[in-house]
Amino acid sequence: MSKRDYYEVLGVSKSASEAELKKAYRKKAIQFHPDKNPDNKEAEEKFKEAAEAYEVLSNPEKRQRYDQFGHAGMGGAAGGGFGGGMNMEDIFSHFGDIFGGGSFFGGGFGGGGRSSRRVNRGSNLRVKVKLTLKEIAEGVEKKIKVKKYVECNSCNGSGAKDGSSFSTCSTCNGSGQVTRIQNTILGQMQTSSTCPSCNGEGKMITNKCTSCAGEGIVRDEEVISINIPAGVAEGMQLSVSGKGNAARRGGINGDLLILIQEEEHPELVRDENDLLYNLFISIPDSILGTAVEIPTIENKVKVKIDGGTQPGKILRLRGKGLPDVNGYGRGDLLVKINVWVPNNVSKEEKKVLEKLQNSESFKPQPTSQEKSFFKKVRNFFE
Ligand SMILES: [Zn+2]
Ligand SMILES: [Zn+2]
């Protein structure tokens, strides 16, 4: 399933401000709201699509990642586990920020009993995962042990002892909201806020579960297996939806955020999707030519170095770099040739070299292209 560009979904430019994003999302949310489009699957999809786009773009960290990596940076390329989209409850639970205290439902669409009740949300968990270049090149499944809040088994997360000992909150009559009329200079204003007695849940537990003291969650450990797509890089963050902390009393789980870290390779240096390797050959080898073994991520490859190769030359082994995280091909392995100058030679070697010193063919005779070669390589390995 290919996703539409988030900016396109909201109909804003890439440079849209926070206020513009909010305004655009508000418009879409009202246009495609399920109350306004009953039994309309297409509207519901658009509603969800807009919510997802807003969820990402309204978060500066996520937005930056999206701008840089596209949908793949959101974990979409993982082929399982990542980016499962948003469900309706998620979306409604965020509406308070957009429409302010549930007034959207009260005023705009009448009734609103369903969604103004607050849904508990578990907090997100963040873990770091260190990967070798080989794991990054191939993609990897990692099993991570995470300490977190999980649903209480005794009460199935409800927090109530026998699973049904609830009573409707008498303060808010189950709506989760209390409304107040205030007299202001602009006239009477109605404000609604979360019910303090039941924390917006609309119900109270009469008989609390003893295992979790009525919270519906307990501290535990879980082994979570995650599929990390090939081509990720240091600093990228993937999110596994619903694998964070469980919420109090059967709410929505938080997400598990995975921060990618790269282990240093002993010989290869990463430069985006390319890999760099510094090769050192001897002076005789540079003159006479040789065959060398170059390490790649998978194995070693044999490379022929022609006689008369100048130091500084860069060989490009196509496709021997890292795969692009968005699936756009593979980088190369760049091999920079260095000629090793010995700083200690024997008497006999010295004699040979002294003969060569005055030899005509050993006098530097660079071509004009070679003279300006510095231009090309100055940024390499710095
Ligand atoms: Zn319990
Ligand atoms: Zn209440």
Side-chain angles (χ1 to χ4, degrees):
M1 190 181 69
S2 69
K3 282 187 172 179
R4 279 212 293 156
D5 178 72
Y6 286 149
Y7 293 98
E8 191 187 309
V9 167
L10 293 181
V12 294
S13 75
K14 287 229 189 253
S15 57
S17 68
E18 250 174 76
E20 283 169 322
L21 284 172
K22 200 167 189 169
K23 199 174 150 200
Y25 174 48
R26 223 182 129 106
K27 223 170 102 187
K28 297 275 176 204
I30 291 170
Q31 186 186 351
F32 297 117
H33 195 279
D35 284 356
K36 234 183 160 185
N37 304 274
D39 298 321
N40 181 341
K41 265 271 162 239
E42 202 184 322
E44 187 182 322
E45 285 312 311
K46 291 226 154 103
F47 184 70
K48 284 183 180 171
E49 195 185 26
E52 187 184 317
Y54 181 71
E55 209 254 338
V56 170
L57 298 184
S58 62
N59 175 323
E61 203 182 303
K62 286 187 185 173
R63 182 175 180 178
Q64 193 198 357
R65 211 159 64 235
Y66 176 73
D67 287 344
Q68 200 172 354
F69 302 109
H71 288 294
M74 310 285 89
F82 292 115
M86 297 180 79
N87 63 39
M88 287 301 219
E89 282 190 317
D90 267 334
I91 298 169
F92 290 126
S93 74
H94 293 156
F95 261 12
D97 309 336
I98 303 297
F99 298 105
S103 62
F104 172 69
F105 296 99
F109 294 103
R114 166 185 51 169
S115 312
S116 58
R117 206 173 293 142
R118 200 174 83 177
V119 181
N120 288 324
R121 202 185 155 87
S123 54
N124 292 343
L125 279 172
R126 197 177 293 244
V127 293
K128 292 174 184 167
V129 174
K130 208 157 198 177
L131 302 174
T132 62
L133 275 187
K134 192 170 161 58
E135 288 171 326
I136 289 171
E138 293 164 0
V140 65
E141 185 188 356
K142 283 271 174 187
K143 289 189 171 20
I144 304 172
K145 195 188 268 182
V146 183
K147 283 200 171 94
K148 61 183 237 184
Y149 283 108
V150 298
E151 195 181 275
C152 170
N153 273 332
S154 314
C155 61
N156 287 322
S158 70
K161 193 162 198 177
D162 51 20
S164 60
S165 44
F166 290 102
S167 65
T168 302
C169 171
S170 56
T171 310
C172 62
N173 289 320
S175 72
Q177 300 272 318
V178 286
T179 41
R180 264 191 320 164
I181 310 274
Q182 273 181 315
N183 288 311
T184 72
I185 46 165
L186 299 170
Q188 281 202 334
M189 257 174 69
Q190 184 177 315
T191 56
S192 57
S193 54
T194 303
C195 170
S197 307
C198 63
N199 271 323
E201 287 171 46
K203 57 190 180 180
M204 312 266 265
I205 296 173
T206 48
N207 199 357
K208 284 183 180 174
C209 166
T210 47
S211 308
C212 62
E215 294 295 298
I217 48 173
V218 289
R219 203 85 182 128
D220 202 358
E221 257 178 15
E222 191 185 346
V223 176
I224 297 168
S225 103
I226 43 173
N227 288 311
I228 295 171
V232 295
E234 172 91 24
M236 265 175 101
Q237 193 172 264
L238 305 168
S239 90
V240 189
S241 142
K243 288 292 182 187
N245 281 316
R248 292 177 68 241
R249 293 178 200 162
I252 301 162
N253 290 354
D255 297 336
L256 176 65
L257 307 175
I258 295 150
L259 183 68
I260 302 293
Q261 296 188 315
E262 248 173 58
E263 231 167 79
E264 229 169 77
H265 191 279
E267 295 175 291
L268 301 171
V269 176
R270 180 175 188 173
D271 178 25
E272 296 188 353
N273 292 336
D274 289 337
L275 293 170
L276 314 176
Y277 179 67
N278 243 337
L279 173 70
F280 288 86
I281 58 176
S282 70
I283 292 174
D285 279 349
S286 74
I287 300 167
L288 303 172
T290 183
V292 290
E293 282 199 325
I294 306 285
T296 68
I297 286 191
E298 292 85 20
N299 44 37
K300 284 182 185 286
V301 292
K302 247 200 164 127
V303 172
K304 194 172 160 272
I305 308 291
D306 291 334
T309 295
Q310 294 293 347
K313 182 174 177 170
I314 292 165
L315 304 176
R316 183 179 286 268
L317 308 185
R318 295 218 179 264
K320 293 283 183 196
L322 295 169
D324 183 84
V325 74
N326 291 312
Y328 302 130
R330 245 185 127 92
D332 302 329
L333 173 56
L334 306 180
V335 179
K336 184 187 177 192
I337 295 175
N338 301 272
V339 175
W340 182 256
V341 178
N343 53 22
N344 200 4
V345 292
S346 69
K347 269 195 183 129
E348 294 87 79
E349 287 164 339
K350 215 172 170 184
K351 276 197 185 121
V352 175
L353 290 167
E354 276 162 358
K355 259 191 221 160
L356 297 174
Q357 200 164 30
N358 299 317
S359 154
E360 201 51 41
S361 46
F362 271 76
K363 295 227 163 82
Q365 301 156 49
T367 62
S368 62
Q369 204 190 351
E370 279 161 349
K371 276 184 188 164
S372 65
F373 199 72
F374 174 68
K375 241 188 196 166
K376 260 197 273 178
V377 295
R378 63 188 297 179
N379 293 324
F380 205 78
F381 282 94
E382 273 180 4

